[in-house]
Amino acid sequence: MDPQIVVLAAGKGTRMKSSLPKVLHKICGKPMIYHIIKESLKLTSNIAVIIGHESETVKNALESEFDNLKFFLQDLENLPGTGGAVKSVEITSDRIIILNGDMPLIRQEHLSRLLEPESDLTIGVIEAEDPKGYGRVIINNGEIVKIVEEKDATEEEKRVKSVNSGVYAITRELLEAFLPTLSNDNAQKEYYLTDIVEFAINEGFEVKPVFVDERSFMGVNSKYELSVAEDIMQSRIQKDLMLNGVTIRSPKTVFIEAGVKFEGECEIEPGVVIKGDTFIKSSHIKANSVIEDSKIEFSVIGPFARIRPKSDIRDSTIGNFTEIKKSSLKGVKAGHLSYIGDSEIDEGTNIGAGVITCNYDGKNKHKTVIGKGVFVGSDSQLIAPVTIEDESFIAAGTTVTKNVKSGSLAISRAPLKILDGFYKRFFGNKDAAKK
Ligand code: UD1
Ligand code: MG
């Protein structure tokens, strides 16, 4: 029988000092709890999530990513605490893994390790450098005696560095015996799941520690810890990518979210940020470019380019200070200082420096369509909706307010006047350079 995995996600996360429920705070672009469920699903499809604080928000966030999760609502008022959370779940397997929803670095292999010992209760124990904030695991002659929460610990207990990671593998028999005995006789007046240790020992159940690494089992309770966990996950993401053939220059300056996918040989230069649901194939992303929710294939992007969501760029060169949004570019050169939004641009077209697609009229967004082999001169404005057909020529500085037919020239310029001798008439005889 597959184990049941129970993820505790009903807490508020007061220490995050945020209106967003703790488990929805993001790490590398996805909520903490997303990472946990993704790894859990590799082990079993039997997953229960305990919700309570902002329950609908948490449920909706998870339902948008996963099917078939079972949700249970905790009575936070009458049964607060991690024990109260577990009391609200329906147990559906003989072996249950319980994990806190704030440990985003856990992986499937770690969960499997917890199932290895044939004991009634297996606890993931961290030998922490700084045990602060964790429940201390009191071990005597190699045997776990109890878990004491920091707020209930004596000074001597606080010095203990073996701490509870918040992951447990428990038999149905033990859990069903323990839950009716829960009490809230402690400093926080909460029902602690961790009391299960003393209960198990007193009732003759077997309890075993599995020693685990804090880099994979850390709990996130504050925005500082969120940043520590995110750094660890970022290094993992980049290592996986590099081992799969992506070149990353100066990795510490690069940020790539968990949902980003690469194919072929790619190179990422320093300072690049790649977010969301982005796919990059055989491309070179130069320094300090930002790419979000887009598809980039066989292209060179940047330095200092910004590719906003829903862009689809292929066989193209996008240069510095060019911003592209919701546009499809195939075989295009846009080298400098442009804004291209809600556009479709076809093969062999050159977008000059400073070209702007004016896609927004103050009320609505409109489309710009540019065909093949078009030359769009520098500093042109294309007032959308507008279509520029194949092999047409837009002169520099033109404001295009009408569709341009294939093969034609569009030019709008105020006539240039040159007044001979103006400088001296204006400044008189003084030497302007010395002014
Ligand atoms: C908990 C453990 C502590 C352990 C630490 C590891 C208890 C009593 N303490 O402390 O021993 O060292 O995790 O990170 O279990 N939750 C609910 N309902 C609640 C309260 C919390 O579902 O009523 C959920 C939270 O959403 C969170 C998880 O349980 O995902 C842990 O809660 P948290 O408040 O972070 O517990 P810690 O104080 O970190
Ligand atoms: Mg915690």
Side-chain angles (χ1 to χ4, degrees), residues 25-81:
H25 280 265
K26 286 184 179 172
I27 285 197
C28 297
K30 295 280 187 187
M32 283 203 260
I33 192 166
Y34 165 90
H35 297 290
I36 299 172
I37 305 248
K38 190 159 174 258
E39 290 300 309
S40 299
L41 278 168
K42 294 180 186 168
L43 198 69
T44 176
S45 56
N46 184 359
I47 296 180
V49 183
I50 316 292
I51 49 177
H53 175 71
E54 294 272 349
S55 57
E56 282 305 305
T57 316
V58 176
K59 188 167 180 247
N60 290 341
L62 285 175
E63 282 184 333
S64 71
E65 299 272 9
F66 304 103
D67 301 323
N68 300 327
L69 299 176
K70 291 188 203 85
F71 293 92
F72 295 91
L73 193 64
Q74 179 183 357
D75 178 355
L76 282 171
E77 199 162 322
N78 297 307
L79 284 170

Side-chain angles (χ1 to χ4, degrees), residues 128-129 131 136 138 153-162:
E129 236 167 77
R136 309 299 200 272
I138 311 299
T154 61
E155 286 310 311
E156 192 187 336
E157 284 168 339
K158 278 187 189 152
R159 284 193 287 276
V160 171
K161 291 193 164 182
S162 309

Side-chain angles (χ1 to χ4, degrees), residues 15 22 100 102 219-221:
R15 289 164 282 180
K22 175 163 75 173
N100 290 347
D102 65 354
V220 171
N221 298 304

Side-chain angles (χ1 to χ4, degrees), residues 112-146:
S112 301
R113 260 192 71 204
L114 237 87
L115 289 172
E116 278 166 20
E118 293 271 319
S119 76
D120 295 298
L121 172 59
T122 308
I123 298 173
V125 178
I126 302 170
E127 291 294 355
E129 236 167 77
D130 176 7
K132 204 168 179 320
Y134 287 106
R136 309 299 200 272
V137 182
I138 311 299
I139 302 177
N140 238 338
N141 299 323
E143 304 273 330
I144 295 186
V145 181
K146 62 174 175 177

Side-chain angles (χ1 to χ4, degrees), residues 281-346:
K281 182 172 180 181
S282 307
S283 294
H284 183 168
I285 315 300
K286 294 190 175 174
N288 298 305
S289 297
V290 179
I291 303 174
E292 205 175 334
D293 292 317
S294 289
K295 192 166 155 194
I296 313 281
E297 294 172 289
F298 308 104
S299 296
V300 178
I301 307 290
F304 294 99
R306 178 167 183 215
I307 314 297
R308 290 172 52 201
K310 296 191 182 154
S311 296
D312 184 353
I313 299 171
R314 201 186 159 92
D315 299 315
S316 295
T317 305
I318 308 300
N320 40 214
F321 310 110
T322 292
E323 174 182 348
I324 296 179
K325 187 216 77 174
K326 206 177 170 189
S327 293
S328 145
L329 279 67
K330 304 274 147 69
V332 173
K333 285 201 174 107
H336 338 259
L337 298 156
S338 282
Y339 171 62
I340 297 168
D342 304 299
S343 302
E344 255 173 52
I345 312 181
D346 216 335

Side-chain angles (χ1 to χ4, degrees), residues 78-119:
N78 297 307
L79 284 170
T82 49
V86 177
K87 214 176 155 72
S88 46
V89 76
E90 182 197 344
I91 299 166
T92 57
S93 175
D94 294 336
R95 201 90 190 269
I96 301 104
I97 296 179
I98 298 177
L99 28 129
N100 290 347
D102 65 354
M103 39 196 321
L105 299 173
I106 193 134
R107 284 182 156 181
Q108 177 209 358
E109 58 262 34
H110 306 131
L111 296 172
S112 301
R113 260 192 71 204
L114 237 87
L115 289 172
E116 278 166 20
E118 293 271 319
S119 76

